[in-house]
Amino acid sequence: MSASNNQCWLITGGAGYIGSHIADEFLTAGKNIVIYDSLYKGLKSRIDYLSKMHNTTINFIEADIRDEAAFTAALKDFKVTGIVHTAALKSVEESMSKRDEYLEVNYHATKRMLEIAKKHGVTHFIFSSTAAVYGNPSSFTACEEAGPTNPINPYGESKLLAEAEVSNFASVVGNIATSFRFFNVIGTGNPELLDNSTSNLVPIIQEKLKSHLPITIFGSGYPTPDGTCIRDYVDVRDIATAHLLAANSNKQLPSAMNIGTGHGASVKEVIDLALQIAGEPNAQVLTADGRSGDPAILFASVDLVENSFGFKCRYSLENSLRSVF
Ligand SMILES: NC(=O)c1ccc[n+]([C@@H]2O[C@H](COP(=O)([O-])OP(=O)(O)OC[C@H]3O[C@@H](n4cnc5c(N)ncnc54)[C@H](O)[C@@H]3O)[C@@H](O)[C@H]2O)c1
């Protein structure tokens, strides 16, 4: 067994959509992992599926990241050396009415976790941040990590505050840490690990098709070629690969990196392609007013992640949608 395989990685939110794909990738690479998740939104069935698929027992701690005693015990009991921190509250809309809760879970708890991690010999920390830190960019160019950040909701604000704590952790000699700013995550490695979020576009399309209800596009008057919002859709399997690369890095990483494809697709394009792949080209699609605070165009600059980190997405939008429909 190599030295890296003796290390133990704790994956918070490992019963979630993205966390379970990262767990899958790490297990495939022969890493020891422990999953830490409150099951607030996560599914135990995802962990059971991974156990079965990898023919192993997965260490699972059902606990909240705000529970300092449980978190400290997990680090000690499993001699954790690296943490992938995906657990979070992630609904932009909900964050508008629950700002304190979003700051508590996404920022304050992350800050305390980093302090505890420092005390207990954890040297690697990979944080799930978001394109929401960019807010509503004033230009239609790709979002660059070194460019302005200006979150327009408590969700993005809580993640940007947490990023600063991750950078602080990375400044300790010997520590390696980064914040990955995910754009819109889609696709799946297996139907058992599908996204179950009620606010993301692809699960919404799936749900509407299943229940034979119309699909609604929010806003058709944006300054884009077809009038609908443009986003950067990145495959969850690419996200998992980026985490493995960061986990295996022995040298310091950029403090924050975009994880996107570098180009955008409109909501209408995604829906049209999804319906075509699903064999439902005539499903009803309605348009409603745009939602306040939705930027017209948001896509990643990938220069930093490709040139400094050596990572490039492999999956096209079509590949990703085909994995789901
Ligand atoms: N899905 C996306 O498109 C997207 C985009 C950008 C960033 N992100 C970030 O990626 C991360 C993972 O997102 P996801 O889509 O997998 O969401 P998810 O809801 O599927 O997974 C989050 C997991 O965290 C767990 N969790 C939530 N609060 C917890 C707490 N207090 N203590 C312990 N566990 C807790 C949930 O039970 C769940 O299993 C989040 O940090 C999210 O902000 C996601």
Side-chain angles (χ1 to χ4, degrees):
M1 196 181 263
S2 73
S4 76
N5 284 349
N6 285 328
Q7 296 168 347
C8 180
W9 280 85
L10 180 132
I11 304 178
T12 73
Y17 166 51
I18 295 172
S20 61
H21 280 88
I22 296 169
D24 192 8
E25 184 86 6
F26 278 29
L27 287 167
T28 303
K31 291 195 180 302
N32 296 322
I33 63 160
V34 51
I35 287 178
Y36 188 105
D37 197 302
S38 64
L39 296 185
Y40 167 64
K41 294 278 179 188
L43 304 173
K44 176 70 169 48
S45 60
R46 291 190 176 121
I47 301 174
D48 295 340
Y49 163 76
L50 290 175
S51 286
K52 203 168 145 200
M53 201 189 130
H54 291 277
N55 196 21
T56 185
T57 305
I58 295 178
N59 297 307
F60 171 50
I61 298 164
E62 185 177 342
D64 197 292
I65 54 166
R66 289 166 290 185
D67 184 339
E68 291 180 36
F71 182 69
T72 306
L75 298 192
K76 283 206 237 170
D77 292 350
F78 292 94
K79 298 187 173 45
V80 170
T81 52
I83 296 175
V84 170
H85 180 31
T86 78
L89 299 177
K90 62 158 197 177
S91 161
V92 167
E93 205 181 344
E94 185 185 58
S95 78
M96 301 304 275
S97 58
K98 294 188 176 173
R99 180 168 183 271
D100 288 352
E101 203 178 329
Y102 270 67
L103 286 178
E104 178 52 31
V105 174
N106 295 356
Y107 167 51
H108 292 291
T110 302
K111 184 174 182 208
R112 285 195 297 270
M113 285 168 60
L114 284 158
E115 282 159 5
I116 295 168
K118 267 190 214 163
K119 275 194 207 149
H120 290 88
V122 175
T123 53
H124 278 62
F125 197 96
I126 309 170
F127 176 60
S128 298
S129 190
T130 166
V133 299
Y134 293 112
N136 198 340
S138 53
S139 79
F140 286 169
T141 53
C143 299
E144 287 179 17
E145 293 86 343
T149 47
N150 185 21
I152 50 170
N153 48 62
Y155 169 64
E157 183 192 355
S158 66
K159 290 284 188 173
L160 188 59
L161 286 166
E163 280 192 9
E165 302 301 329
V166 177
S167 299
N168 185 17
F169 176 89
S171 69
V172 175
V173 176
N175 282 0
I176 294 175
T178 192
S179 297
F180 279 142
R181 293 177 179 166
F182 311 155
F183 279 64
N184 288 56
V185 186
I186 61 168
T188 190
N190 190 283
E192 304 275 349
L193 305 181
L194 271 172
D195 189 2
N196 62 334
S197 158
T198 50
S199 53
N200 290 348
L201 178 59
V202 170
I204 290 174
I205 301 172
Q206 272 187 303
E207 184 50 37
K208 298 291 181 194
L209 286 180
K210 212 166 110 192
S211 47
H212 305 288
L213 289 170
I215 298 160
T216 304
I217 295 178
F218 292 97
S220 56
Y222 290 96
T224 60
D226 66 19
T228 68
C229 288
I230 289 179
R231 295 288 179 270
D232 189 332
Y233 294 91
V234 53
D235 196 285
V236 69
R237 293 164 289 183
D238 281 324
I239 300 254
T241 303
H243 280 76
L244 185 62
L245 202 58
N248 287 338
S249 176
N250 294 321
K251 55 176 193 180
Q252 195 45 276
L253 300 167
S255 60
M257 284 184 274
N258 291 336
I259 306 288
T261 62
H263 37 86
S266 76
V267 171
K268 185 173 181 315
E269 283 169 337
V270 174
I271 293 175
D272 287 349
L273 187 55
L275 295 184
Q276 188 198 317
I277 292 169
E280 304 255 15
N282 299 321
Q284 199 183 3
V285 181
L286 307 175
T287 40
D289 289 344
R291 294 174 296 199
S292 72
D294 259 352
I297 300 182
L298 207 57
F299 67 102
S301 159
V302 290
D303 292 347
L304 182 67
V305 79
E306 288 188 7
N307 301 334
S308 302
F309 183 53
F311 169 78
K312 198 171 164 51
C313 287
R314 287 170 301 157
Y315 293 92
S316 67
L317 177 62
E318 182 172 347
N319 288 154
S320 301
L321 290 173
R322 284 198 186 280
S323 71
V324 174
F325 291 98

